[in-house]
Amino acid sequence: MGKLSRELGSGLNSSQFANLYSFQAAARHLSFARAAQELCLTPSAVSHRIARLEQGLGFRLFQRLPRQLRLTEEGERIFLILQGALDELREALQPTPGSEIGGRLAIHAPPSLAACWLVPRLAGFTVRHPALTLDLRVGNGGVDFRTQSIDLALYYGQGEFPGLVAERWMDERIAPVCSRRYAQQHGLLQRAEQLRQCTLLHDTLAWDNAAFDAEWAYWARQRGVELPDHHLSFDRSDLCVLAAASHAGVAIGRYRLVRERLASGELLLPFGEAWLPAPSAYYLVHPARDSLPGRVQAFIDWLRECAA
């Protein structure tokens, strides 16, 4: 809590702690009404608490716009420091010094990564840290760390995460995959030109702002292959792969997500080991903090080991 005290100086005293907590809720929601609902207060009470906090500090925390709240530069700085201080406090409230890392750990991941890579490995993490309660949330959209109670997000993307700390954690490579039956029916084995007669399976949300056919277009440019117009579209890579395994067409397989299906023979690489470095990679993303809570650092360390 030392950095928070230094930032707030004499403006922080015992009478201001309730106001500070109200500010934290309002900053997360960017709404006095939603903060009031969380705190079981009226919006007017929340507004008055924050006004008293601003008066004590001597600067504005919010820009009050018509039907909108926006943090000032000072408010954003104080909010981030306060979030870090609360994490430190949660760590300090562990039962005893040197005890097992415990508590709730909330992780966000894309559905395909969660289903095909992360969940099958989670038993190893729970054995290592039995006192941790893991809460895994999946979704294609980005996380708003201010309003969502998420500790760490795993993203597949191109490394653009403004205002957040991002670590490139795991690389990827891609290649077409299909079932053996589909490859034989369409004469695909070692004959990429036969793709013109096939159905392509597209992950339309491969990464943020990607075109619906981004992965196939990238692979085709690199290989000089003409692609057909006939396709089926999904919003998840694992659904593309499932459709391919069910003889519906040819999908772009991400090695990290399809290698078990390749090893079992459920899928094959019709054009041999035609892997290309993917245009995206996997990132670990979280808000900036002086130091990460122990539970988050433990999960990151485990993820690095798995990736290696």
Side-chain angles (χ1 to χ4, degrees), residues 21-164:
Y21 193 69
S22 297
F23 161 69
Q24 191 262 355
R28 274 192 290 108
H29 294 291
L30 289 178
S31 166
F32 288 164
R34 288 198 291 272
Q37 186 175 17
E38 177 182 318
L39 299 170
C40 298
L41 298 170
T42 65
S44 177
V46 172
S47 178
H48 281 106
R49 283 186 175 188
I50 291 170
R52 287 195 294 270
L53 180 62
E54 290 175 325
Q55 184 178 8
L57 296 175
F59 53 78
R60 288 280 189 180
L61 297 169
F62 290 105
Q63 296 178 31
R64 292 158 174 83
L65 306 173
R67 297 189 178 185
Q68 184 183 5
L69 277 183
R70 184 180 299 162
L71 284 165
T72 64
E73 184 176 340
E74 293 85 354
E76 184 73 33
R77 188 180 74 252
I78 296 303
F79 174 69
L80 293 175
I81 294 169
L82 182 57
Q83 289 289 82
L86 290 174
D87 279 334
E88 290 179 22
L89 182 59
R90 280 190 286 267
E91 289 293 298
L93 292 176
Q94 290 294 321
T96 57
S99 64
E100 288 182 290
I101 295 174
R104 174 183 175 270
L105 176 64
I107 304 297
H108 178 277
S112 299
L113 180 65
C116 300
W117 191 92
L118 181 59
V119 171
R121 290 169 169 78
L122 282 180
F125 181 75
T126 59
V127 167
R128 183 180 298 187
H129 297 289
L132 262 175
T133 300
L134 187 66
D135 183 1
L136 176 61
R137 308 293 179 90
V138 300
N140 284 317
V143 171
D144 185 342
F145 286 97
R146 180 179 286 111
T147 60
Q148 295 174 262
S149 183
I150 299 293
D151 294 302
L152 180 71
L154 283 55
Y155 286 135
Y156 183 65
Q158 299 184 317
E160 297 177 359
F161 308 103
L164 299 169

Side-chain angles (χ1 to χ4, degrees), residues 164-216:
L164 299 169
V165 175
E167 172 190 337
R168 186 173 177 133
W169 152 57
M170 194 164 65
D171 290 326
E172 187 57 282
R173 45 192 178 131
I174 61 174
V177 296
C178 64
S179 68
R180 181 169 296 279
R181 187 173 94 186
Y182 193 89
Q184 291 172 341
Q185 287 175 344
H186 293 79
L188 280 178
L189 296 175
Q190 303 302 331
R191 298 179 64 193
E193 68 275 8
Q194 288 296 102
L195 277 174
R196 294 194 300 270
Q197 315 302 321
C198 295
T199 298
L200 301 188
L201 307 172
H202 293 301
D203 176 5
T204 61
L205 298 176
W207 54 84
D208 277 353
N209 303 314
F212 83 97
D213 61 348
E215 287 184 306
W216 265 114

